Amino acid sequence: MRVNPSSSHYDSMKYPLRLTLYLAAQAATCATVMLVFALISTSGALANPSLFALHEKTMPPPFSAEYDIHMGNMTLGQLRIDLRKNNSHSWTYRARTQAKGLASLFVGGNEMTETSHLELIDDTIRPVLFERIQVTNSTNKSERAIFEWHNNSVKTSYKDRRLQHPLNKYSLDKFTLQLALMNNLASLPERSTVAVISKAKMKKYVIIRHGTETVDTAFGRRQAVVIERLRDDASYMIWADSRTHGIPLKIQHIKQGKMQYEVVLASSSLF
């Protein structure tokens, strides 16, 4: 029987070609599946609001802390933070910034006070009222947010804005976010997002955990977890003490790649 050489040659090439195409398709499918799993894993971390939950058992004890505000070698003002436990189910978290000289440019006046009133509701500590009092010679930049957990909404006001937003169990105001970072420092992933109320709007911030660094402080060399709170072209770099309830040792405000000012811990009841 005579074999057609052209047909034999075609068959000998056909099956390796099919096998190659099959393996390539399988490889592409595997790569797609791996990519999907990676995206699911990443988006789960990004969208998990419980990363920033405040729990009573991990809350720092009541404390006070005083910070100096610097721009280069100049001290521009002071910041005092207090966490007070009012009773078994409520806390008050307050910051008062006292500016002098050039510091009034970024504070928007000589003084600014931020206060978050927190309550234990079900199994989490949640803000019930946030107030920022900031009055300058030219404008009123005060802000207010009333959290109505019974109907899962928050009523906000800032300047002439009056807005209402839906809430989930882990919604925060911007000031309470700092306390939440302290509360969950050990469990923060490398990258996550959180929705917060700020200036009457619901905003999303990216939280990046950069690792650890040793920081020179008024209390000696301390180990700190470096956290970045990022939104648009501005960020806050936070060096949080890894052993003392995550208290910020220093904070830098960065805008368009340039440091605007630095806040450095001078004293605290936690040390």
Side-chain angles (χ1 to χ4, degrees), residues 174-230:
K174 187 171 66 174
F175 184 46
T176 305
L177 174 59
Q178 178 59 60
L179 191 60
L181 292 175
M182 294 173 61
N183 195 252
N184 296 282
L185 186 64
S187 58
L188 284 178
E190 288 186 5
R191 189 179 183 94
S192 53
T193 59
V194 59
V196 299
I197 294 295
S198 176
K199 297 181 179 178
K201 295 181 179 181
M202 186 71 79
K203 300 180 181 180
K204 286 190 177 181
Y205 290 95
V206 177
I207 307 297
I208 303 172
R209 181 184 175 125
H210 287 286
T212 59
E213 290 183 10
T214 301
V215 181
D216 290 321
T217 73
F219 316 97
R221 293 174 66 81
R222 306 287 301 181
Q223 192 76 8
V225 178
V226 184
I227 303 168
E228 182 177 7
R229 194 193 80 192
L230 177 66

Side-chain angles (χ1 to χ4, degrees), residues 132 143 156-158 161 163 174 197-201 203:
R132 183 179 72 173
E143 180 180 353
T156 65
S157 62
Y158 173 69
R161 296 176 192 159
L163 299 173
K174 187 171 66 174
I197 294 295
S198 176
K199 297 181 179 178
K201 295 181 179 181
K203 300 180 181 180

Side-chain angles (χ1 to χ4, degrees), residues 49-55 116 118 124-128 130 143 145 147 149 154 156 166-181 183-184 193-198 201-203 205 207:
S50 65
L51 292 170
F52 303 95
L54 286 163
H55 296 291
S116 290
L118 311 165
T124 57
I125 298 170
R126 309 183 196 180
V128 292
F130 167 73
E143 180 180 353
F147 293 78
W149 295 105
V154 57
T156 65
L167 291 176
N168 65 56
K169 181 179 179 180
Y170 306 105
S171 297
L172 301 169
D173 59 79
K174 187 171 66 174
F175 184 46
T176 305
L177 174 59
Q178 178 59 60
L179 191 60
L181 292 175
N183 195 252
N184 296 282
T193 59
V194 59
V196 299
I197 294 295
S198 176
K201 295 181 179 181
M202 186 71 79
K203 300 180 181 180
Y205 290 95
I207 307 297

